[in-house]
Amino acid sequence: MTGGAGQNEGRTGRLARLMPSGPSTAARTPFVLLVVLLLAGGLISLLLLNSALNEGSFELSRLERETTELTDEQQALQRDVDSYSEPDALERRARELGMVPGGPPAFLDPDGSVRGVPEQATADPSTPPAAREPRTDPEPPAPAPSATPAPGTPVAPPAASGPAAVPPATPTEPSPTSSGR
C-alpha cells in the first residue's frame, strides 16, 4: 500500500505542473473586485434611498403639523368674523360709533320728487332699544302729507319733543343732477 500513496503523489505533482497556480489567481481577481464593487454600490444606493425617504417623511410630518396649525388659526379667525357679524354685535358697534336706528325710509325718484315721509333719526345712542321710552307728543299728530310732494318743495321732518329730540336739519332742495338737462 505504500506504493499506492507514492503513486498518488506523483500524479498530483504532474497535475500541478500542468495547471500552474499563478495565472488562475490573477484571472479571479477582477471578478471578485467587480462583485465587491457591485455589492458596495448597492448598499450605498440603498443607504441614500433610505435617507431620502426619511427626509421626505420628516418634511411630510412638518407640513401636516403646519396644516393643522393653519386650520386651527383659520377656524379661530372664522369664529371671530362670525361673532362680529351677529346682529347684536353689529348693533352694539353701531351704537359705539354714534349711529342710531333710522325711521321709515323715504326715497327720491329720478324726477326729484320724494316718495315716503322722511324723518330724522331721534334715538339716544347711549341707551339700548329696550330701555328707550316711546315718544310722547303733547299735540295730536298732523295729517300725513301726500306721498309725493311737488318737485322742488322742501320737506321738513316732523317736530319731536322730549329728551331724545334732536333739532331739525335745515331743509335743502335737491341738487340738480349732471344728466345734461
Side-chain angles (χ1 to χ4, degrees):
M1 298 215 163
T2 57
Q7 198 177 21
N8 282 339
E9 286 177 18
R11 206 182 262 172
T12 319
R14 277 185 277 163
L15 286 175
R17 274 182 278 163
L18 289 174
M19 295 177 51
S21 63
S24 67
T25 306
R28 274 189 228 162
T29 305
F31 177 72
V32 171
L33 285 176
L34 178 68
V35 170
V36 168
L37 287 176
L38 286 175
L39 286 174
L43 288 174
I44 289 173
S45 62
L46 281 175
L47 179 65
L48 292 175
L49 181 64
N50 191 18
S51 297
L53 288 175
N54 283 338
E55 184 179 331
S57 175
F58 289 136
E59 180 73 11
L60 180 64
S61 297
R62 184 187 65 80
L63 290 174
E64 285 176 345
R65 186 173 51 249
E66 187 176 330
T67 300
T68 302
E69 291 170 1
L70 290 175
T71 301
D72 292 345
E73 183 180 350
Q74 187 263 344
Q75 289 174 352
L77 291 173
Q78 186 63 44
R79 277 193 307 270
D80 290 346
V81 167
D82 291 343
S83 69
Y84 289 136
S85 299
E86 292 175 351
D88 293 338
L90 289 175
E91 180 184 12
R92 186 182 70 251
R93 284 286 298 141
R95 289 192 183 284
E96 288 172 2
L97 293 172
M99 298 175 148
V100 295
F107 301 96
L108 289 176
D109 289 331
D111 62 353
S113 61
V114 178
R115 189 171 14 144
V117 179
E119 292 182 12
Q120 187 171 7
T122 58
D124 183 13
S126 63
T127 58
R132 271 189 252 128
E133 298 176 9
R135 277 187 4 196
T136 56
D137 292 329
E139 54 191 60
S146 67
T148 56
T153 306
V155 177
S161 63
V166 176
T170 56
T172 59
E173 291 191 27
S175 61
T177 59
S178 60
S179 62
R181 287 192 224 174

